[in-house]
Amino acid sequence: MSVDLGTAQESAVRRLIARFSWPMLLLLCVMATAYGFAIEHPVVVFNLTYLTLAIVLFYLERTMPFERTWLENDGQTFANIAHTLTSKGLVQGLVTFSGVIGITAYITPMQGEGYGIWPREWPLFIQVIMTLVIAEFGLYWAHRIAHEWPVLWKFHAIHHSVTRLWIVNTGRFHFIDSVFSILLGISLPLALGAPLEAITWLSAITAYIGMLTHCNVDMRFGVLSWVFNTPGLHRWHHSKKISEGNKNYGENLVIWDQVFRTWINPDRRPPANIGIMEKMPAGFIAQLAWPFKQIRSQIKRKDNS
């Protein structure tokens, strides 16, 4: 029996990429961000790093996809990009790079010496880890509430209405949903006195993990899924089944999913048929208006009953 060495080598390379691509890509992004701070150009380096990550993942999605059916066009690319620009791009950009665009006056009082109980004398990498864990508490509950409170679900449903996962719908969030999540996420570390640099690190890491989480790339995660929100976990979160979709709320880490027992990682393949039960309009403007129309209709039905 003959063996195709080329095919065997290709399979070995693919398995190697699947095993190490997620942690290596995240590590490289973190190293690039650290370099950006070191040369005092964190914004420029972040944007270049984020763009490079997108290009690499776009290539991997086409060469080694997790779900081939998710490569098919769903007609939502424009809406995905438009939501990203109006929610993550605008709202998170205002928070992350506030020093560049002139709104530091709003958070300067929280950055003064002696404010809060934050240990600013500790090494920065420890402060960043602390910020990730503490902010994750707010992000976890913002996400969970958005699933469990009907009014907020109307806004969060925009994100879950996708029928495939890939890097372009990473930032597909209604801007109301984004504001709610970001405010809850940064309020705790800011209230405790976390420095702006740690908050900037939080936003950069959240952006990197967010794109990695939504990528349609065949990857292996192992013990990483016990600590981080990986694509393997997030695919379950996009399931149409409530028992699966209302789980794995973590944004970057899954520590609070572990604490509040909402972490799942079944030993089977997650569903490829994802989305929501409600009917979502196809157009971007109609999607922006959809939650408000749904809420108004509910109010009218209550008034008429």
Side-chain angles (χ1 to χ4, degrees):
M1 184 177 72
S2 62
V3 177
D4 189 336
L5 294 179
T7 301
Q9 290 176 347
E10 182 178 338
S11 297
V13 170
R14 180 177 176 129
R15 287 196 300 271
L16 193 66
I17 294 174
R19 177 67 62 186
F20 294 105
S21 56
W22 193 93
M24 286 303 300
L25 286 171
L26 180 59
L27 178 60
L28 289 171
C29 287
V30 169
M31 291 172 62
T33 304
Y35 175 73
F37 276 104
I39 64 173
E40 299 183 351
H41 290 290
V43 177
V44 174
V45 174
F46 166 78
N47 286 326
L48 290 174
T49 304
Y50 192 75
L51 177 60
T52 302
L53 177 63
I55 293 171
V56 170
L57 290 175
F58 184 81
Y59 173 77
L60 290 176
E61 284 185 334
R62 272 137 194 82
T63 55
M64 44 185 297
F66 178 77
E67 285 288 353
R68 291 203 170 274
T69 57
W70 289 351
L71 295 177
E72 298 172 7
N73 185 14
D74 60 356
Q76 287 295 293
T77 301
F78 174 80
N80 291 335
I81 295 173
H83 280 298
T84 300
L85 294 175
T86 57
S87 61
K88 293 297 183 182
L90 175 61
V91 180
Q92 191 165 356
L94 287 173
V95 174
T96 307
F97 304 120
S98 56
V100 177
I101 54 182
I103 61 170
T104 50
Y106 292 100
I107 60 175
T108 295
M110 294 183 177
Q111 299 299 304
E113 289 296 331
Y115 177 87
I117 59 173
W118 197 267
R120 298 191 178 203
E121 70 278 5
W122 290 9
L124 181 60
F125 79 94
I126 294 180
Q127 295 187 53
V128 171
I129 293 172
M130 289 174 55
T131 304
L132 281 168
V133 174
I134 294 170
E136 192 64 52
F137 182 82
L139 292 170
Y140 170 89
W141 280 107
H143 197 174
R144 183 168 177 174
I145 291 169
H147 275 254
E148 296 181 355
W149 289 14
V151 170
L152 288 177
W153 166 251
K154 300 302 181 186
F155 296 97
H156 191 58
I158 303 297
H159 180 70
H160 278 269
S161 64
V162 296
T163 56
R164 63 168 176 157
L165 291 174
W166 68 309
I167 60 169
V168 178
N169 54 36
T170 298
R172 180 192 169 98
F173 289 91
H174 196 285
F175 68 90
I176 297 293
D177 189 21
S178 284
V179 169
F180 179 66
S181 177
I182 291 170
L183 289 179
L184 261 66
I186 68 169
S187 59
L188 276 176
L190 278 178
L192 293 172
L196 184 60
E197 188 173 3
I199 300 297
T200 304
W201 266 104
L202 165 69
S203 298
I205 292 173
T206 300
Y208 299 142
I209 290 183
M211 184 173 290
L212 285 164
T213 297
H214 290 84
C215 72
N216 179 25
V217 180
D218 187 16
M219 296 174 171
R220 303 292 179 268
F221 310 102
V223 296
L224 291 172
S225 290
W226 286 91
V227 180
F228 298 98
N229 181 26
T230 62
L233 294 179
H234 200 65
R235 290 163 189 154
W236 289 107
H237 180 71
H238 275 265
S239 171
K240 287 182 177 180
K241 293 183 180 179
I242 293 179
S243 60
E244 296 169 349
N246 283 6
K247 295 291 192 295
N248 298 342
Y249 293 114
E251 184 79 24
N252 301 306
L253 309 173
V254 293
I255 179 174
W256 301 112
D257 280 299
Q258 303 282 5
V259 170
F260 297 112
R261 307 185 70 167
T262 53
W263 182 90
I264 63 167
N265 192 18
D267 188 20
R268 52 190 169 88
R269 191 174 180 83
N273 182 20
I274 61 174
I276 60 175
M277 297 304 179
E278 300 96 328
K279 182 175 176 56
M280 183 65 61
F284 166 65
I285 299 299
Q287 289 170 6
L288 283 181
W290 184 82
F292 300 104
K293 290 182 178 179
Q294 294 294 306
I295 294 169
R296 186 176 62 183
S297 296
Q298 287 183 346
I299 294 172
K300 283 185 177 179
R301 284 196 294 268
K302 286 183 179 180
D303 290 341
N304 294 332
S305 62

